[in-house]
Amino acid sequence: QVQVVQSGSELKKPGASVKVSCKTSGYTFTRCALNWVRQAPGQGLEWMGWINTNTGNPTYAQGFTGRFVFSLDTSVSTAFLQISSLKAEDTAIYYCARGAEDAFYFDYWGQGTLVTVSS
Amino acid sequence: SYVLTQPPSVSVAPGQTARITCGGTNIGSKSVHWYQQKPGQAPVLVVYDDSDRPSGIPERFSGSNSGNTATLTISRVEAGDEADYYCQVWDSSSDHVFGTGTKVTVL
């Protein structure tokens, strides 16, 4: 069965960096894109972008360029989200979501990773 | 950029029908997907491609899409349906877009 498991909560100071992992299993890793979705406290879902698991090519949504980097380690079927120069407004839950094969919806989601940025 | 507008809240009595709308320009020409998010949990896909249900999702959940409005309908509402619901589409100029979200309260 498909599983998407993310790393645990993080508490970081402003200006620091954080790297969130998203480990998948139960399917061929390179057949489906992986997307990142942000949810600020009490707010809705915001699509951050996706990474092509075949080529490693990332695509970033508006507002998520520069400090945000998507990467892969295909040997362990894992995607990563790195955020640098953290700000208080980066405090949110970050979800990894699998893009359904040849489709435009998200069929499996990780449990989410809470990133808290506070001095 | 493409915008999807949902009502902030919908209230419904148990056993009744809840309808959650998702408005967007000519949304009827796009495929609409719906997610349920219960407090403290990750979103779960409940309807995809306007009206299809993933395995394990009850038939009580159905969808439709026409013109400028897509609708998620929950029939015979149960207490366990209380959650936030989000619509989502893919748009050629905006990529993936989520709706503003609707909180469903079961009275």
Side-chain angles (χ1 to χ4, degrees), chain A residues 1 12 18 24 27 34 44 55 63-64 77-78 81-82 85-86 91 111-112 114 119:
Chain A
Q1 71 284 18
K12 296 290 184 181
V18 68
T24 70
Y27 71 100
L34 284 171
T55 65
F64 295 100
S77 302
T78 299
L81 162 66
Q82 183 161 358
S85 303
L86 283 163
T91 294
Q111 81 278 22
L114 173 61
S119 54

Side-chain angles (χ1 to χ4, degrees), chain B:
Chain B
S1 61
Y2 195 74
V3 175
L4 296 174
T5 303
Q6 299 180 233
S9 62
V10 167
S11 298
V12 58
Q16 299 304 303
T17 298
R19 293 180 179 84
I20 305 160
T21 58
C22 175
T25 302
N26 199 26
I27 196 173
S29 67
K30 305 180 185 299
S31 291
V32 179
H33 322 294
W34 291 90
Y35 303 87
Q36 174 194 68
Q37 186 179 33
K38 296 182 179 180
Q41 297 184 21
V44 172
L45 179 70
V46 293
V47 166
Y48 65 96
D49 290 346
D50 295 340
S51 58
D52 291 334
R53 279 184 313 277
S55 60
I57 300 301
E59 292 183 6
R60 301 184 298 103
F61 289 83
S62 62
S64 63
N65 183 21
S66 179
N68 294 315
T69 305
T71 303
L72 174 70
T73 301
I74 312 172
S75 304
R76 302 180 299 283
V77 165
E78 303 174 355
D81 298 331
E82 192 160 280
D84 294 327
Y85 292 83
Y86 295 90
C87 56
Q88 176 251 319
V89 302
W90 182 86
D91 174 76
S92 59
S93 62
S94 303
D95 269 317
H96 294 285
V97 180
F98 286 102
T100 49
T102 298
K103 181 178 181 60
V104 170
T105 299
V106 180
L107 301 171

Side-chain angles (χ1 to χ4, degrees), chain A residues 30-52:
Chain A
T30 53
R31 293 187 70 152
C32 298
L34 284 171
N35 295 261
W36 291 95
V37 176
R38 182 172 77 178
Q39 187 168 39
Q43 301 301 307
L45 304 175
E46 187 176 16
W47 182 72
M48 301 172 64
W50 67 287
I51 186 162
N52 184 317

Side-chain angles (χ1 to χ4, degrees), chain A residues 14-79:
Chain A
S17 296
V18 68
K19 194 169 186 177
V20 176
S21 68
C22 168
K23 183 169 178 57
T24 70
S25 60
Y27 71 100
T28 302
F29 183 69
T30 53
R31 293 187 70 152
C32 298
L34 284 171
N35 295 261
W36 291 95
V37 176
R38 182 172 77 178
Q39 187 168 39
Q43 301 301 307
L45 304 175
E46 187 176 16
W47 182 72
M48 301 172 64
W50 67 287
I51 186 162
N52 184 317
T53 52
N54 254 317
T55 65
N57 184 49
T59 299
Y60 302 98
Q62 276 191 353
F64 295 100
T65 55
R67 297 189 300 116
F68 300 83
V69 176
F70 306 150
S71 61
L72 301 172
D73 183 343
T74 54
S75 68
V76 289
S77 302
T78 299

